[in-house]
Amino acid sequence: MSNTREKIIELADQLIRTKGFNAFSYADISAPLDIKNAAVHYHFPNKADLGIAVIEQEIARLNDGIHQWKKLSPDARLKKMIAIFQQRYKQRTICLVGSLTPDYDTFSPAMQQKVQEMCKGILDWMADCLEEGREAGNFSFEGDAYDRALMVMSNLMSSLLYSRVLGGNIFGRMSKQLSKDLI
Amino acid sequence: MSNTREKIIELADQLIRTKGFNAFSYADISAPLDIKNAAVHYHFPNKADLGIAVIEQEIARLNDGIHQWKKLSPDARLKKMIAIFQQRYKQRTICLVGSLTPDYDTFSPAMQQKVQEMCKGILDWMADCLEEGREAGNFSFEGDAYDRALMVMSNLMSSLLYSRVLGGNIFGRMSKQLSKDLI
DNA sequence: TTGCTTACTTACTAATCAGTCAGTATCTTT
DNA sequence: AAAGATACTGACTGATTAGTAAGTAAGCAA
């Protein structure tokens, strides 16, 4: 098993979060790993293949988390999700959804589908979490759980974007407020 | 006065919203306007100058709106802002904040400053609108008005991103829910 | 009418881009 | 030991990128 492949995916993930998918190049990957750009093409024939691999890794990690958190209460699960974003906030990076959805129209159909899959997965999970929490009395909110999930994920995503641009503890303020709003 | 300059800005605005700042080229502008790429460089020596001009136009339009809405009630002003995003939703484009903040790290310092200025302007306006509305009894919400402004703008921005990726009337659902939450 | 400014075009350039292909060293399997 | 697969390198390519420098036509002002 080559771990070059995994290193490429990890680096591409970082580059997508910092520069965006369309702004990073094969050289941005081959140079730091001290390999030739042809080696990157060996593992990922074209850029979309690499993008898809990065998204699939993210989906897999998300599913891992979901599986591990299954026995936690809905509000503990929400905290876990917020903690993931907090980690990103500390690293000064943004989430994949926030990085990839603005460039959606420039992607190949296969990659668009993966972006869609990632978005749907996170939103469905959050909607389930919120609905279960409401039924169990952990959460209290008005309206459809899916609409609320859209708003919560929207706030988490944007908190990272705004934090990077405006500085200050915008992530802390937004995550605190969105948690309060659900009680 | 040349209106080529204005046409370039307008087209660049469209391209930033659809492809993103780093993914459009001078050829994407010169070809549709039937001019040479050197003509674009005549008006905007480098790409950052063009980006800054697009952001400045957006800030100017926003200030125009703010000025025109001054005599409206806070909830009517909020509706006007939502209407701007609804228009973008119908055009299947996203907002400049949603398009530019993910690529923030790749911009020149001067352009970063403009992005910051745009974000601050919108958020300050929204915070004032919400605070005034709360004091007048039009709105009811918990916590700091600025935090609430962050969440409202976050939802409007993301509603356009999610709409394009997931289809359906996500904009309608989110804008309706965020309005309800403020009453 | 001379001189200056505006708004370009023509014709480039050097760099960078994603992607290709033939070759090779090193394992692994038979 | 031979054959094949794996994981690359070396040496490219053609397209596209932002950006430049010189020239020009039209308008305007002294």
Side-chain angles (χ1 to χ4, degrees):
Chain A
M1 276 274 168
S2 147
N3 71 48
T4 299
R5 190 189 146 89
E6 287 155 44
K7 281 180 192 165
I8 292 170
I9 294 176
E10 198 54 47
L11 191 48
D13 180 285
Q14 285 291 111
L15 286 163
I16 290 172
R17 290 178 203 269
T18 49
K19 305 183 75 174
F21 184 76
N22 290 317
F24 85 83
S25 73
Y26 275 69
D28 290 327
I29 288 179
S30 55
L33 297 182
D34 203 30
I35 54 176
K36 302 295 159 184
N37 98 43
V40 185
H41 279 284
Y42 168 76
H43 290 285
F44 306 98
N46 58 57
K47 212 181 171 186
D49 294 323
L50 178 51
I52 287 168
V54 169
I55 301 170
E56 277 174 347
Q57 189 192 58
E58 180 77 357
I59 292 171
R61 283 181 182 171
L62 184 80
N63 287 338
D64 261 25
I66 288 172
H67 187 75
Q68 286 186 315
W69 307 338
K70 235 166 194 169
K71 286 174 184 165
L72 296 178
S73 67
D75 56 323
R77 271 182 273 162
L78 176 69
K79 271 185 189 151
K80 287 279 189 188
M81 180 58 79
I82 293 174
I84 289 178
F85 279 81
Q86 187 166 34
Q87 216 179 331
R88 293 290 170 200
Y89 165 69
K90 283 177 187 164
Q91 298 167 326
R92 290 272 151 185
T93 58
I94 62 174
C95 67
L96 278 191
V97 174
S99 176
L100 294 174
T101 57
D103 299 337
Y104 188 75
D105 284 354
T106 69
F107 300 154
S108 70
M111 197 170 148
Q112 287 186 335
Q113 211 181 320
K114 278 290 162 199
V115 173
Q116 225 177 77
E117 194 184 322
M118 173 175 60
C119 290
K120 279 181 182 168
I122 300 170
L123 287 167
D124 285 345
W125 176 85
M126 180 59 79
D128 283 350
C129 176
L130 293 175
E131 185 57 50
E132 198 186 314
R134 177 157 66 175
E135 281 164 12
N138 294 304
F139 296 139
S140 164
F141 57 87
E142 299 287 316
D144 195 79
Y146 192 82
D147 294 348
R148 194 58 55 181
L150 280 165
M151 300 176 86
V152 169
M153 291 315 305
S154 150
N155 286 332
L156 288 174
M157 176 179 107
S158 309
S159 70
L160 298 180
L161 294 170
Y162 281 134
S163 289
R164 213 168 49 170
V165 173
L166 301 175
N169 190 15
I170 289 183
F171 169 80
R173 295 171 70 166
M174 287 182 77
S175 61
K176 196 174 163 188
Q177 191 59 56
L178 80 84
S179 298
K180 271 189 184 173
D181 287 350
L182 289 170
I183 301 171
Chain B
M1 276 274 168
S2 146
N3 70 44
T4 298
R5 191 189 145 89
E6 287 155 44
K7 281 180 191 165
I8 292 170
I9 294 176
E10 197 54 46
L11 192 47
D13 181 284
Q14 284 292 110
L15 286 163
I16 290 172
R17 291 178 203 269
T18 50
K19 305 183 77 175
F21 183 76
N22 290 317
F24 85 83
S25 72
Y26 275 68
D28 290 329
I29 288 179
S30 54
L33 296 181
D34 204 31
I35 55 176
K36 301 297 157 184
N37 95 46
V40 184
H41 279 285
Y42 167 75
H43 289 286
F44 306 96
N46 58 57
K47 212 180 169 186
D49 294 322
L50 178 52
I52 288 168
V54 169
I55 301 170
E56 277 174 346
Q57 189 192 57
E58 180 77 357
I59 292 172
R61 282 181 183 171
L62 183 80
N63 288 338
D64 262 24
I66 288 171
H67 187 75
Q68 286 185 315
W69 306 339
K70 234 165 195 169
K71 285 173 185 167
L72 296 177
S73 66
D75 56 324
R77 272 181 273 161
L78 176 69
K79 271 185 188 150
K80 287 279 189 188
M81 180 58 80
I82 293 175
I84 288 177
F85 279 81
Q86 187 165 36
Q87 217 178 330
R88 293 290 170 199
Y89 167 68
K90 282 178 186 164
Q91 296 167 328
R92 289 273 151 185
T93 58
I94 61 174
C95 66
L96 279 191
V97 174
S99 176
L100 294 175
T101 57
D103 299 337
Y104 188 75
D105 284 353
T106 68
F107 299 154
S108 71
M111 196 169 150
Q112 287 185 336
Q113 212 180 320
K114 278 290 161 196
V115 173
Q116 224 176 78
E117 193 185 322
M118 172 176 60
C119 289
K120 278 182 183 167
I122 300 170
L123 287 167
D124 285 344
W125 176 85
M126 180 60 78
D128 283 350
C129 176
L130 292 175
E131 186 57 50
E132 197 186 316
R134 177 157 63 176
E135 281 164 12
N138 293 303
F139 296 139
S140 163
F141 57 86
E142 299 287 318
D144 195 80
Y146 192 82
D147 293 348
R148 194 58 56 179
L150 280 165
M151 300 176 87
V152 169
M153 290 314 305
S154 150
N155 286 331
L156 288 174
M157 175 178 109
S158 308
S159 70
L160 298 179
L161 294 170
Y162 281 134
S163 288
R164 213 167 50 169
V165 173
L166 302 174
N169 189 16
I170 288 183
F171 170 79
R173 296 171 69 166
M174 287 183 76
S175 60
K176 197 175 162 187
Q177 192 58 57
L178 78 85
S179 299
K180 272 189 183 173
D181 286 351
L182 291 170
I183 301 172

